[in-house]
Amino acid sequence: MIWLTWRQHRGQLLVTFGLLAALGLMFLVSGLEAAAFVASNAGLAPGDLDAALGARYDAVYTVFGWLPIVAPALIGAFWGAPLLGREFERGTHRLVWTQAVPVRRWLAVKLVVLGGLVALGGLAMSAMVSVWRPRFRTDTFGNVGIFNMLGVEPAAWWLFAFMLGTAAGAVLRRTLAAMAVVVGVLAVMTFGLFTLSDHYATPSRVVTADQTTVTSQDVRLVEHAWLDPAGREIAETPPGACPRGVDAGRNDSARTAYEECLIGKGYRHVVYFHGHDRFWRFQLIDAAILLAGAAGLGLVTVRAVRRAS
């Protein structure tokens, strides 16, 4: 069965790992160039150096920015959705399930072998990003896109997407319909987990006159409020606290002037955030949710196949 699985899906395997190799080469070349660029521009201020790196490697940033969304969607659409959806569409499941290999074993080998390869592919992506990222000094926790490409997140997302596509193909029995389900559900899950993650732990609270002491760190911001001179926490400052002409908020200088006015009158920033020390806690909770979802989708797939057989 393992040999048969390889023969049936070798095209997907070769294309996927070919793309991984191409991404790895892109990360390697850009990372080495970025390291040399940083070394040759060591005199630049950190902000100017980051801006220069962003301008120089804009294309790489663009590709990387889409990966947390596109990579799982491709796995679900082109690995998971056709796995059973195509068998039902073509009617080949009737022939396959009448052979000497029992249906349960046929399905178990498919899911275990392909699911294992998908998870390994996600871990390979994580390893490449882990080596590439430090060259560009990007946040690992505060930037959710990068967070989803590090640690165990890619493996969990890819496996969930694969099982989602497989379950959708088994239930709908149409490959294109299953692909559409994959894209829609992944979009909802991405936003849902991002929103839910604020509640994985009680946020830290800091009262400060300069919120950049918090926002400049690798943290995940949850909420911002103000502390008035009487010590009361308020969501918005009173309309007459500072001249509205200063508070246009339409550009950085206007916002800075308005904040300086408020600080001068005794107001303080109240910042709620999750610190970088919670990186692995959030990773493991995300992964547990996704793996539980993948297991549930596996049960849906098994039930759909049993009904069809």
Side-chain angles (χ1 to χ4, degrees), residues 69-223:
I69 301 171
V70 173
L74 290 177
I75 291 296
F78 293 100
W79 277 58
L83 182 63
L84 295 174
R86 189 172 296 163
E87 297 278 3
F88 284 119
E89 281 180 333
R90 296 177 177 178
T92 52
H93 65 288
R94 298 187 184 93
L95 174 62
V96 172
W97 296 346
T98 57
Q99 303 302 306
V101 178
V103 175
R104 289 183 181 180
R105 182 184 171 194
W106 177 87
L107 182 61
V109 171
K110 291 268 190 180
L111 295 181
V112 170
V113 172
L114 295 179
L117 290 173
V118 162
L120 287 175
L123 292 176
M125 174 72 75
S126 172
M128 290 189 292
V129 173
S130 297
V131 173
W132 173 85
R133 183 206 58 78
R135 309 294 184 183
F136 295 87
R137 302 188 303 179
T138 52
D139 290 346
T140 59
F141 188 53
N143 187 320
V144 177
I146 294 179
F147 176 81
N148 286 347
M149 296 298 295
L150 293 171
V152 296
E153 287 270 330
W157 272 109
W158 287 27
L159 185 58
F160 175 81
F162 169 70
M163 294 305 303
L164 173 62
T166 303
V171 173
L172 300 176
R173 303 189 181 188
R174 293 291 184 272
T175 302
L176 289 179
M179 288 179 174
V181 168
V182 166
V183 174
V185 172
L186 285 179
V188 172
M189 281 293 296
T190 301
F191 177 77
L193 274 188
F194 171 70
T195 304
L196 184 64
S197 64
D198 287 345
H199 306 285
Y200 289 172
T202 302
S204 300
R205 179 180 184 269
V206 167
V207 177
T208 177
D210 181 10
Q211 65 176 332
T212 59
T213 58
V214 177
T215 58
S216 61
Q217 303 176 44
D218 186 8
V219 300
R220 187 171 297 189
L221 299 178
V222 177
E223 187 181 357

Side-chain angles (χ1 to χ4, degrees), residues 233-249:
E233 187 174 313
I234 55 178
E236 299 284 345
T237 56
C242 279
R244 299 304 296 178
V246 176
D247 177 28

